[in-house]
Amino acid sequence: MPVFEPLRVRGTRHRLRRALRRARRMPTVLLALVAAALAVAGGTPPPGPPGPPGAPGAPVSPVAARARPPAAVRLVSAPVRIADAATVRLLRPGDRVDVIAAPDSPLGADGEARVVVTGARVAEVPRPDETRPDGGALVVLSVPRSTAAALAGAGVTSQLAVILC
């Protein structure tokens, strides 16, 4: 048998490095796939006795879930006059607030205070020097269109206050 020089395979280091790089990225890829699967699946109710169809917590068939995609709620900017300017100075854009309407009578005899909006996002707040002589301040909230109409109606008949969430 003739004597051969040692056989040298070129490029194995390069392929080995590439395989190791892929192996290092694998947990990241798997984590991204799991996150995507959870996002697509959405929140499912905890296991329990099924209720009548359409009841809260009742199972929804995959066909029904695909038939009605959730409608995106369109937000509008609603300017709201808050009665207490000092309270408005505590707000920052991005804060979540509940808006309370109190009857516009001195003793509150016309009715009780009621919650008009819960969890509205503050879009804009006035500068510190932008207050009215009566002490009120204008705040812009991002709310659904129907809620904006309720806020406008409540602002006409009541004094409005906010509660930070």
Side-chain angles (χ1 to χ4, degrees):
M1 183 172 264
V3 177
F4 293 103
E5 287 188 34
L7 184 61
R8 296 182 188 205
V9 180
R10 297 180 189 249
T12 37
R13 276 191 189 166
H14 180 66
R15 277 186 250 148
L16 182 61
R17 284 183 190 157
R18 194 173 355 155
L20 286 175
R21 257 188 262 133
R22 271 192 239 135
R24 277 188 228 128
R25 280 186 272 169
M26 191 59 71
T28 307
V29 171
L30 288 175
L31 184 62
L33 286 173
V34 168
L38 288 174
V40 168
T44 59
V60 178
S61 71
V63 174
R66 272 187 243 123
R68 292 178 296 156
V73 176
R74 182 172 172 182
L75 299 178
V76 296
S77 297
V80 178
R81 174 79 49 198
I82 304 300
D84 185 15
T87 304
V88 172
R89 282 194 289 263
L90 298 173
L91 301 177
R92 300 286 174 259
D95 286 347
R96 295 281 179 176
V97 295
D98 294 347
V99 179
I100 311 297
D104 205 11
S105 68
L107 301 175
D110 292 336
E112 294 183 11
R114 63 185 175 93
V115 178
V116 181
V117 180
T118 58
R121 189 178 60 82
V122 176
E124 294 180 38
V125 292
R127 293 190 309 263
D129 59 340
E130 291 180 348
T131 57
R132 284 182 34 175
D134 64 354
L138 190 68
V139 177
V140 179
L141 302 176
S142 291
V143 293
R145 186 176 296 275
S146 61
T147 306
L151 275 171
V156 172
T157 60
S158 306
Q159 289 188 346
L160 301 178
V162 291
I163 299 174
L164 282 162
C165 297

